[in-house]
């Protein structure tokens, strides 16, 4: 290896450093391998030694008490000053100068990594730019006919010139190619994010918001000043995204395409477990500490909480654990794969960055994450998964099959008043985006009437506009309680949102038009608000914006208000283009829900898991819309949920086997093929090859009703199949056949419901709360549907199953809870102090009862909570009554506890 | 002749280094280093962050790697130019792809100059 090999020496402070280094120096001389001094740095500051010891313990799976020699013996592995290193190696000056020599020889820096986009996607010998130009105009003709509007053609020309200047053509072609592939496979896809600001993206079919309908700001998408590659994100059907990903891997090869990494960070929960274990805390203590944390936040333990859990906040050991946990939070823990960001290169990717196997089969990723590749100017394509696209495609298929209409994202009838009427009543369970609690409470106030209202609706219920105090002014103006207020010069920009800037593009446009920013500066302004909240850049822009606006004759007050609003949305505000892309899906899904509730519910269930609600709510919502929902049955169900035609519309929805826990698709395929002539006996199914376990699952789901068996009877019969004669002995009598007929006790309704929930997480027979209604009435609990009769401000008690808990980071600790009883859903608001007080009840109760005050504002109804009670025990007692009768029976029916699907937490 | 620290393990050597790459770089800049190497174990995952931090402080990082071998003492590898960087990256790729996720299997033989990968 000649001149390139050096021998590294480090001082270890174990007492024999002099001897060791002397020996190494001798060896170095003997073999002509020069010495080089290093300090084997493991932390930047001696204080981190403790944390380093903890890391060692975690790695070696031991505690600080028994780690012994596995720890570093001293705190010397920190970065030392050059002077100190010179002093330490003063006897070996060449070891120091060799470090210098190596550093001087290594002139390679990451700056010199050249990233080249794949260029092969051209036809007929065109260059990428020529190809893009060709495809853009072809696409424009397809979208607009031969008569391309002036606005469009000039936008295309402008963008193409820009793309050429920045040399991005190959990137656009790559995205176009992927989208074209998806289309050819009938996979729904749609570009999201700022890409919808590009007319070229629209004519290439990457995005779907018509640029004649909204104002585009190309600079929001790419700008020359940012010197940062464009970022096109495309959503695909979540169930079929893998096909798209494999297409990319196959087309470019694994040495040219890989997924961007995500660096998984150590979160509080994991950190406290690791540190606690290494510091020798008991498993019990660790569990108590880590489980008491609200799931999605990194909020820190306060003294009160520690006391509540029986821990001593003054304990120095515990304090040390918490301090180290805090240091460890945010440490990278492993490399995972990004949700779908691809890096594709012209040359070999592994010469730019090491590639590694991802956990999922057939995927490989690079070692760098999104920020890293941004730093280096690599381009990435986001191949994202969107459940709603799957749902919409499945709904289109069903509509075609049962209603004979052939819909696409592009040909859904626009601006249908019935659809907007439905949306205005917040009848939006299952609909894209606007199904969340916050959205639902906004809808009746906003009352959307046209497509652009949906764009606003999507954007307004966001932390940004809420923080910037834009929601209320907008609503007041919309409802005519206040006049829109904007300077006439800014009418173009602000009129559409009644003078309240709601979108990032508006913020940028105001800066350009009113304060004389260049488009590029305006984009910097937006970014500074999003990312550098702390370091002075923002003040610089504040001055520039306000000075610029006052100089152009705007009032100081107005300028300041604008700035405050812009600051408010920062990173949270949606770009208008993104809101528009999403609004399109909102409209399409609303349309389907409005006109084809049967289809929509079926498609939603067939696309699970997705969205905000559980199957049980989707089913009860479908029933509320007059869809007859039929139970899972061996003779009628398929794997998916299906529609069954009847005399009237909507059709009936037949639940599919996929709703039953623990069944698998292959096994049900066996059942389906055996069913050609109809199934008349359980034995026939068993003979056809359906396993005992699958039959039991089907019995648990009560799927044998069509052959006259309820679940208990069916289970009884299935259990007798264990010793059925097979092979040679087929047809002979077995022990079970000579058994006496047994009369099984009838199951009670609550028992059936409990079993339904256990097997399918829903029941068509009754709502669990209906069985405890009597007891609730004794507690003076109002049924949800009767809330409508209670006037504003009155005290009220409601109770129901907890469906969703949502605690948005911006709503200053307010927790929104949705509960459901047999009559409907109610929305609860818990303010911060009360949340702290009732934390346990809120997090643990399945059946929650609250006392509170009615609050109504138009159609929006809330219960403002004052007290919470956990009524889980009522659910547990539901089936107890029947126990005595069951005991006498021969079968032990077991009083199963109601297993509800866990409530979902959102932020 | 000023010393350069050439052996730095950041927390991208999971459960070994106890400081973020940018903390290392910031400390180095504060001590007056003009450059510093980052040598994580069988990975280059932390170098871009270190690079960005160094750029902000006006110093330079030497992207490098500590090669932990299955059959020999560890080697510190410092690419001198783009070609050698590419070889280092390819070598790590080979090691990664032949191991389970999160592991990198390298052998002495793979690192010999004649065996340029």
């Amino acid at each position: 290896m000649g001149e390139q090999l050096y021998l590294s020496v480090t001082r270890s402070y174990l007492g024999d450093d002099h001897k060791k280094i002397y020996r190494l120096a001798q060896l170095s001389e003997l073999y002509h391998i020069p010495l080089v001094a290093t300090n084997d740095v493991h932390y930047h500051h001696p204080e981190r030694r403790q944390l380093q010891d903890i890391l060692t313990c975690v790695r070696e799976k031991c505690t600080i008490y028994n780690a012994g020699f596995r720890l570093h013996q001293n705190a010397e592995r920190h970065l030392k000053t050059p002077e100190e290193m010179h002093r330490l190696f003063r006897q070996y000056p060449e070891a120091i100068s060799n470090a210098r020599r190596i550093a001087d020889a290594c002139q390679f820096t990451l700056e010199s990594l050249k990233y080249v986009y794949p260029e092969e996607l051209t036809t007929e010998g065109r260059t990428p730019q020529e190809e893009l130009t060709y495809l853009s105009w072809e696409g424009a003709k397809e979208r607009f006919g031969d008569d391309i509007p002036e606005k469009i053609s000039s936008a295309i020309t402008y963008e193409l010139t820009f793309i050429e200047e920045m040399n991005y053509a190959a990137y656009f072609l790559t995205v176009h190619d992927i989208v074209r592939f998806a289309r050819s496979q009938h996979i729904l896809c749609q570009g999201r994010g700022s890409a919808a600001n590009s007319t070229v993206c629209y004519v290439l079919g990457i995005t779907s918001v018509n640029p004649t309908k909204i104002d585009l700001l190309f600079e929001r998408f790419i700008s020359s000043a940012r010197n940062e590659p464009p970022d096109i994100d495309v959503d695909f059907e979540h169930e079929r995204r893998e096909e798209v990903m494999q297409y990319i891997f196959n087309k470019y090869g694994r040495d040219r395409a890989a997924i961007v990494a995500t660096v998984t960070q150590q979160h509080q929960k994991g950190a406290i477990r690791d540190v606690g274990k290494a510091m020798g805390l008991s498993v019990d203590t660790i569990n108590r500490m880590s489980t008491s944390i609200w799931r999605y936040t990194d909020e820190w333990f306060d003294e009160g909480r520690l006391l509540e859990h029986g821990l001593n906040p003054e304990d120095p050991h515990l304090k040390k654990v918490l301090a180290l946990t805090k240091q460890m939070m945010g440490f990278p823990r492993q490399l995972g794969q990004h949700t779908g960001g691809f890096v594709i290169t012209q040359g070999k990717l592994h010469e730019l960055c090491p590639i590694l196997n991802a956990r999922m089969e057939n995927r490989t990723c690079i070692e760098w994450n999104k920020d890293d590749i941004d730093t280096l100017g690599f381009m990435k394509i986001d191949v994202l998964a969107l459940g709603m696209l799957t749902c919409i495609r499945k709904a289109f298929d069903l509509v075609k099959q049962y209603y004979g209409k052939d819909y696409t994202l592009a040909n859904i009838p626009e601006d249908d008043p019935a659809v907007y009427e439905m949306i205005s009543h917040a009848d939006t369970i299952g609909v894209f985006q606007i199904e969340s609690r916050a959205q639902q409470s906004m809808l009746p106030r906003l009352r959307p009437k046209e497509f652009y209202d949906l764009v606003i609706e999507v954007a307004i219920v966001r932390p940004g506009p809420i923080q910037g105090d834009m929601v209320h002014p907008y609503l007041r103006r919309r409802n005519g309680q206040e006049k829109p207020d904007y300077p006439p010069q800014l009418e173009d920009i602000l009129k559409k949102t009644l003078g309240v800037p709601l979108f990032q593009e508006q913020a940028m446009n105001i800066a350009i038009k009113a304060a004389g920013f260049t488009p590029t500066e305006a984009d910097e302004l937006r970014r500074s608000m999003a990312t550098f909240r702390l370091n002075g850049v923002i003040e610089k822009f504040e001055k520039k914006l306000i000075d610029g606006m006052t100089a152009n004759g705007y009032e100081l007050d107005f300028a300041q208000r604008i700035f405050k609003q812009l600051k408010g949305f920062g990173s949270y505000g949606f770009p208008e283009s993104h809101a528009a892309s999403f609004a399109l899906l909102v409209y399409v899904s609303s349309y389907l829900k409005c006109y084809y509730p049967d289809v929509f519910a079926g498609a939603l269930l067939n696309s699970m898991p997705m969205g905000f609600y559980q199957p049980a709510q989707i089913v009860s919502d479908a029933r509320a819309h007059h869809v007859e929902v039929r139970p899972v049955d061996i003779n009628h169900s398929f794997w998916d949920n299906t529609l069954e035609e009847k005399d009237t519309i909507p059709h009936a929805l037949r639940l599919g086997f996929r709703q039953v826990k623990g069944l698998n698709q292959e096994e049900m395929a066996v059942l389906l093929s055996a069913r050609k002539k109809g199934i008349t006996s359980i034995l026939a199914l068993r003979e056809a090859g359906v396993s005992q376990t699958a039959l039991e699952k089907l019995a648990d789901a009560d799927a044998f009703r069509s052959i006259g068996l309820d679940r208990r009877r069916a289970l009884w019969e299935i259990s007798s199949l264990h010793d059925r004669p097979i092979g040679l002995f087929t047809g002979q009598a077995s022990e079970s056949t000579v058994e006496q007929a047994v009369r099984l006790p009838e199951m009670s309704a609550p028992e059936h419901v409990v079993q339904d929930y256990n097997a399918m997480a829903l029941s068509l027979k009754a709502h669990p709360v209906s069985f405890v209604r009597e007891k609730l009435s004794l507690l003076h609990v109002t049924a949800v549907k009767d809330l409508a009769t209670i006037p504003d401000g009155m005290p009220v008690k409601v109770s129901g199953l907890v469906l969703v808990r949502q605690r948005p980071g911006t709503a200053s600790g307010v927790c929104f809870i949705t509960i459901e009883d047999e009559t409907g859903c109610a929305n609860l608001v818990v303010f911060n102090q009360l949340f702290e007080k009732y934390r346990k009840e809120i997090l643990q109760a399945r059946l929650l009862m609250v006392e509170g005050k009615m609050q109504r504002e138009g159609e929006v109804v809330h219960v403002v909570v004052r007290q919470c009670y956990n009524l889980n025990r009522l659910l547990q007692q539901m089936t107890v009554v029947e126990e005595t009768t069951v005991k006498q029976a021969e079968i032990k029916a077991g009083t199963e506890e109601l297993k509800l699907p866990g409530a979902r937490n959102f932020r | 002749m000023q010393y350069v620290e050439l052996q730095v393990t950041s927390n991208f050597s999971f459960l070994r280094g106890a400081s973020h790459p940018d903390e290392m770089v910031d400390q180095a800049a504060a001590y007056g280093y003009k450059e510093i190497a980052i040598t994580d174990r069988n990975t280059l995952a932390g170098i871009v962050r270190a690079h960005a931090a160094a750029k902000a402080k006006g110093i330079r990082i030497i992207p490098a790697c500590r090669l932990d071998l299955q059959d020999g003492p560890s080697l510190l590898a410092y690419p001198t130019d783009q070609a050698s960087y590419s070889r280092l990256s390819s070598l790590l790729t080979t090691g990664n792809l032949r191991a389970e996720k999160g592991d990198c299997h390298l052998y002495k033989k793979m690192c010999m100059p004649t065996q340029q990968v």
Side-chain angles (χ1 to χ4, degrees), chain A residues 740-761:
Chain A
Q740 283 188 356
V742 181
R743 265 197 58 208
L744 301 170
E746 292 292 313
M747 283 174 80
S748 69
E751 279 180 293
H752 269 301
V753 170
V754 166
Q755 295 256 359
D756 277 345
Y757 266 87
N758 292 353
M760 294 179 293

Side-chain angles (χ1 to χ4, degrees), chain A residues 42 44 80 100 350 352 367, chain B residues 18-19 33 35 44 85 89:
Chain A
H42 276 70
H44 72 291
K80 293 180 177 166
R100 176 87 260 151
H350 60 73
L352 296 177
E367 287 187 345
Chain B
S19 295
Y33 282 98
E35 52 239 300
L44 297 174
Y85 172 84
S89 173

Side-chain angles (χ1 to χ4, degrees), chain A residues 66 181 319 367 374 383 459 598 749 775 853 883:
Chain A
N66 59 20
F181 165 78
K319 278 185 173 168
E367 287 187 345
D374 266 0
V383 178
D598 47 351
K775 288 178 184 160
K853 201 177 71 173
E883 202 170 15

Side-chain angles (χ1 to χ4, degrees), chain B residues 5-69:
Chain B
E5 183 55 59
L6 289 179
Q7 185 168 197
V8 178
T9 305
S10 81
N11 59 11
F12 276 83
S13 300
F14 301 140
L15 299 180
R16 292 182 190 273
S19 295
H20 292 276
D22 52 304
E23 288 175 326
M24 296 286 193
V25 168
D26 290 353
Q27 188 68 270
Y31 284 161
Y33 282 98
K34 292 276 169 290
E35 52 239 300
I36 177 180
I38 298 287
T39 53
D40 280 314
R41 292 187 178 226
N42 294 344
T43 180
L44 297 174
I47 60 172
V48 184
R49 288 141 200 263
H51 170 77
K55 214 168 140 187
K57 293 279 174 190
I59 67 172
R60 177 173 85 95
I61 66 135
I62 299 166
C65 186
R66 170 177 170 145
L67 302 173
D68 266 1
L69 306 182

Side-chain angles (χ1 to χ4, degrees), chain A residues 115-119 163 166-175 222 228-232 256 258 260 341-345 349 352 366 370 372-382:
Chain A
Y115 176 80
V116 184
Y117 223 75
E119 295 187 336
I163 291 166
M166 303 300 290
N167 199 16
Y168 290 154
Y171 176 71
F172 282 83
L173 290 178
T174 314
V175 181
I222 25 181
E228 194 177 82
D231 194 357
I232 302 181
R256 292 178 56 204
V260 177
F342 267 93
V343 170
I344 310 172
T345 52
L349 180 56
L352 296 177
I366 59 171
K370 184 170 137 292
D372 294 336
I373 64 166
D374 266 0
T375 308
L376 299 176
F378 287 20
M379 289 188 227
K380 104 178 179 322
I381 298 170
D382 270 349

